Amino acid sequence: MLLAIVALASVARARRLLARRSLAALLAIAVLPAAHAGDADARSAAGATAAAPAPAETAARATTTVAVPGHRAAIASAYPLASQAGEEILAAGGNAFDAAVAVSAALAVVEPSSSGLGGGGFYLLHRMSDGYDTMLDAREKAPGAATRDMYLDKAGNPIEDASVAGALASGIPGEPAAFDYLARKYGKLPLKQSLQPAIRLAREGFPLYARLQGGIQYKRQVLLRSADAAKAFLRADGGVPELGALIKQPELANTLQALADQGAKGFYEGAVAANLVAGVRADGGIWTLQDLAAYRVIERKPLVGEYHGARIVSASPPSSGGIAVIDALNILSGFDLPRYDSATRKHLVIESMRRAYRDRAIYLGDPDFVTMPLAQLASVDYAAGQRSSIRTDKAMPSSMLPGIESAPVGMQTTHFSILDAAGNRVAGTISINLFFGSGYMPPKTGVLLNDTMDDFSVKPGTPNEFGLVGAAANAIAPNKRSLSSMSPSFVETKRGLMIVGSPGGSYIISMVLLGTLNYLDGMSAADVVKYPRYHHQYLPDEVEYEQGALTDAEIKELQAMGHTLKLSGRQWGNMQVITWDFASGKVEAASDPRGEGVGLVY
Ligand code: DON
């Protein structure tokens, strides 16, 4: 039962298309795609050269719910219908892990631009009965026929769009396997039951909302290349459906039903698998039936760090998120932050980001393929060495910390946080990578495929389509998982805990870092999600910040220290947070005001 809706803030903004390819443009559509009204494909929209006029306004709302003490089941997700799907499953006797299946599956239907059966992600789990923490790695895998240079032409240059649009851009999905695994190993209810809300939503439809409509508009040209994707998301004449139009996905409902009836086999084998492979190959992709049949979720030990007595549990490789957040916190742990004025505090956080992102770029990849110095990167001694190069009064140019350039990855993803009444919890960040993924939907499946192959270094050492550069550790190889920034995390202290995560490509890491610091400073869940963000990722050597993240005085002081500051024309992220205060029993669930999600407490 929903107890109280506390905040419903409305922010309306007219947003203009950006005039050049930039990080801001990449992220802008991650959150507010409606601002990009052009019929652009992924690349030109990322470049965001002015095209069609932007719609007048895009509304962003926040809904935060605070529970009375004693009630502590909560869900925060990026769309109300998905939170409600989780609520339904909790009410039917499911636990947090069953609710994670219901929420993820509902998001696949109602937020198809961000995640789905055709994608993958990471589920961070905590089982209350024995305090067990684990991470389900449901990241997409490169097909067995993938090769290091598969997106390069004969001259060794990246082939336009090849790693972002169409079936060649798609890795073997992991999300359906995660549903089956969650239900069998951790859930209380059969998969069949937890998938019901999503099947109903897919069959009966849901009304088109502004952010999704903006995304459809933005990706229209790519969707038109796939007859089934066009049928699912466009009008019969190829136009964008009007707001409120019922989006029904009967084929997706059938695929979900096959999964419900047969478990993972219903997706990875049999008729669905045959249709997926036939469609992918007809569109120029390289999947085989064997790739699908061989897909497995891998259970991995999460990374655990400590910061001033708080325990940080976060995603391990092939996500770079946990290691980068813990590395940054280790660096900061040697500073008495409250002692400093606000500009110096932000300077120190920025310097910790610079160093953590550098390490991310150099060392990380799929742990099954590369050896990584994880113990070193997460160690306090290593952090002490990094800290010793930080001056409290001066920025250090990234060029003095040589390494490999890192840049934001991806454009759209989704996160949810769940706590059940028994104290089990899930932080899930799931994705199909760019907005609407590859844009390709194999006929008869209703499954929109990811373009997560673009998270690999398409050409190690050379920028790819989106300006990304990576190391050999993240080069393409058959059956390998690409490096991710997704950082589902738990922050635990003596007084309580926070479940946190967000979409936002490489910005995810700095968001989770700021969220952690803010929670530890005593901020409420609502304040954590709305906090104006700043970000430094080693290269480009600049601090990007949202309006309101820095005061005029801080801007002057940071510039005087040598930082290059860049006000972003956009906001980024769509953070979903649950907090639980042990003493009072108060649980708070907050959804980022930059999106239209909802936090519910029962
Ligand atoms: O795994 C990753 O890091 C990316 N595929 C995530 C993309 C993303 O978060 C884009 N969000 N706005």
Side-chain angles (χ1 to χ4, degrees), residues 95-102 125-127 182 186-187 420 424-426:
N95 61 16
F97 313 120
D98 298 308
V101 173
L125 314 181
H126 175 83
R127 188 171 55 202
L182 272 166
Y186 293 100
D420 71 16
N424 299 309
R425 48 188 191 263
V426 181

Side-chain angles (χ1 to χ4, degrees), residues 252-287:
L252 178 58
N254 292 343
T255 297
L256 281 163
Q257 191 64 56
L259 194 54
D261 292 340
Q262 302 161 50
K265 284 191 163 117
F267 183 90
Y268 293 92
E269 296 175 28
V272 172
N275 287 332
L276 287 169
V277 170
V280 162
R281 296 188 81 87
D283 196 57
I286 53 174
W287 290 15

Side-chain angles (χ1 to χ4, degrees), residues 522-544:
M523 254 188 210
S524 68
D527 288 340
V528 167
V529 295
K530 78 166 186 248
Y531 184 78
R533 292 162 184 149
Y534 57 94
H535 171 81
H536 192 297
Q537 58 173 44
Y538 174 55
L539 290 172
D541 189 353
E542 63 190 18
V543 180
E544 197 176 353

Side-chain angles (χ1 to χ4, degrees), residues 30 139 409-413 431 433 455 484-486 503-505 508:
R139 181 71 163 168
V409 286
M411 299 156 82
Q412 193 66 26
T413 286
S431 181
N433 194 28
D455 280 346
S484 172
S485 299
M486 296 190 282
I508 294 171

